[in-house]
Amino acid sequence: MVPVRTCIGSRRRAPRSSLLRVVALSDGRVVADPKAVMPGRGAWLTPTVEAHDQATKRRAFRRALRLDREPDTSAVRDYLEALERTALEHDEQARHQDTTEQAERLMDN
């Protein structure tokens, strides 16, 4: 059976492998834990900027991580933005490769 967790932003249930674990550090910052191995209480988030924004708006980080004050989640947001940039670049490269392959096939005919 696949472990299922609930996103603190969207409140949707999803397999653990498709969510990002976040952990609060002792200095009040929340950081991404992509390997899900850091010590301490963690929370699960859909790896999108939208889910981060929802969780921030709902003050879900503080509640889920049982913190005394609102944490600094900028490191998580930076991580998610970098993930989205990487995904966009990968899609762009794949599209370019497909176009190149199509052109080569047309030239062979």
Side-chain angles (χ1 to χ4, degrees):
M1 181 154 177
V2 176
V4 175
R5 301 290 184 264
T6 301
C7 170
I8 63 172
S10 66
R11 303 295 301 156
R12 291 195 182 114
R13 292 172 55 86
R16 176 183 159 168
S17 60
S18 68
L19 297 175
L20 173 68
R21 183 173 186 254
V22 295
V23 178
L25 301 178
S26 59
D27 63 1
R29 290 182 304 131
V30 176
V31 295
D33 180 15
K35 294 183 180 180
V37 296
M38 290 178 72
R41 184 169 183 83
W44 298 88
L45 185 68
T46 304
T48 63
V49 173
E50 292 81 19
H52 174 273
D53 292 345
Q54 287 176 328
T56 302
K57 183 179 176 184
R58 296 178 56 245
R59 297 183 177 166
F61 287 103
R62 179 180 178 182
R63 200 171 32 257
L65 297 169
R66 298 181 184 170
L67 301 172
D68 296 335
R69 60 185 178 350
E70 283 301 314
D72 175 13
T73 61
S74 60
V76 175
R77 185 174 177 92
D78 293 344
Y79 178 84
L80 294 171
E81 288 173 348
L83 266 182
E84 289 185 356
R85 273 194 306 274
T86 302
L88 287 174
E89 289 170 3
H90 179 71
D91 289 348
E92 190 83 17
Q93 288 175 348
R95 205 169 326 145
H96 177 55
Q97 185 177 4
D98 289 345
T99 304
T100 304
E101 288 174 3
Q102 288 174 353
E104 288 174 356
R105 277 196 299 265
L106 288 173
M107 289 172 51
D108 288 342
N109 289 334

